[in-house]
Amino acid sequence: MISLLEIRWHGRAGQGVKTAAYLLAEAAMDTGKYIQAFPEYGAERSGAPIAAFTRIGDEPIRIHYGILTPDVVVVVDESLIGAMDVTAGLKDSGILLVNSSEGPEVYRAKVPTFKGKVATVDATQIALDCIGRPIPNIPIMGALIKVSEIVSLEDLEPRLRHKFSAKFNEQIVEGNVKALKRGYEEVKVL
């Protein structure tokens, strides 16, 4: 991993974007990394666009502002592509990960100036299959750790279990673990 990895998340309120940003950071912290995770809200209502940010570093992180030149952009709601410039500032060596049933070649065509990796995973369908609700944050996080190798599946799963066990019953926890693993296994990269 590079000394500082910056991830910008784009989604809509209610999709678990903030939870994913924090959960990934906490899993990285468990492996000895320094972290930051925070959301950026507009109108605070369900369905409104939201951004969240995660920084993971090998040294203490002394910057405190939104991520302008991310290494990774995660688009949790594909309808935001075209409605806003989700790839603004994305490094040419970076990764664009989109929650979509379509393949990565579709998004390569939609952002032709981006030269890095493009990946897709149908996180919404995985969430519906595994937890019965269209909350795609956990499956897309599984896809993210596969394409970026930020943390391992073995590092993230215990953090997910710990965090979710405090709020949810065992069935929901196990459904989310299954969704995480499916996202990891089903991501497509171009």
Side-chain angles (χ1 to χ4, degrees):
M1 182 171 96
I2 59 176
S3 64
L4 180 65
L5 183 76
E6 296 183 308
I7 304 163
R8 189 173 63 216
W9 305 75
H10 292 280
R12 295 191 182 275
Q15 292 183 311
V17 175
K18 177 182 160 187
T19 299
Y22 279 73
L23 192 59
L24 179 64
E26 290 169 357
M29 182 180 66
D30 290 345
T31 69
K33 301 293 182 187
Y34 294 91
I35 63 159
Q36 279 184 359
F38 52 97
E40 178 181 82
Y41 297 106
E44 292 188 39
R45 66 187 189 325
S46 186
I50 180 177
F53 307 96
T54 306
R55 285 189 176 100
I56 300 171
D58 294 326
E59 299 175 3
I61 302 168
R62 305 222 187 277
I63 52 178
H64 300 281
Y65 51 83
I67 294 172
L68 305 175
T69 55
D71 299 289
V72 180
V73 168
V74 180
V75 182
V76 182
D77 187 317
E78 67 184 316
S79 72
L80 294 173
I81 295 177
M84 60 186 355
D85 186 4
V86 296
T87 61
L90 180 58
K91 295 175 182 169
D92 283 340
S93 60
I95 301 168
L96 173 64
L97 172 60
V98 182
N99 171 18
S100 178
S101 61
E102 299 184 282
E105 62 282 347
V106 170
Y107 294 94
R108 169 68 71 206
K110 288 183 181 188
V111 289
T113 58
F114 175 60
K115 305 300 179 210
K117 279 187 198 175
V118 178
T120 60
V121 66
D122 195 352
T124 301
Q125 187 60 55
I126 293 170
L128 285 167
D129 293 348
C130 296
I131 61 172
R133 297 182 66 199
I135 303 174
N137 62 336
I138 300 303
I140 205 161
M141 197 167 30
L144 174 61
I145 64 170
K146 173 78 175 264
V147 299
S148 66
E149 301 177 349
I150 297 166
V151 296
S152 70
L153 194 57
E154 293 76 24
D155 292 328
L156 187 54
E157 184 182 334
R159 172 53 67 176
L160 176 95
R161 285 182 186 281
H162 174 76
K163 188 97 166 177
F164 280 26
S165 292
K167 294 191 232 180
F168 303 113
N169 67 40
E170 187 65 23
Q171 182 180 2
I172 292 174
V173 173
E174 290 306 316
N176 275 282
V177 169
K178 183 178 177 184
L180 177 72
K181 291 177 179 177
R182 275 193 55 194
Y184 184 90
E185 294 163 0
E186 295 179 22
V187 65
K188 299 175 199 126
V189 182
L190 181 66

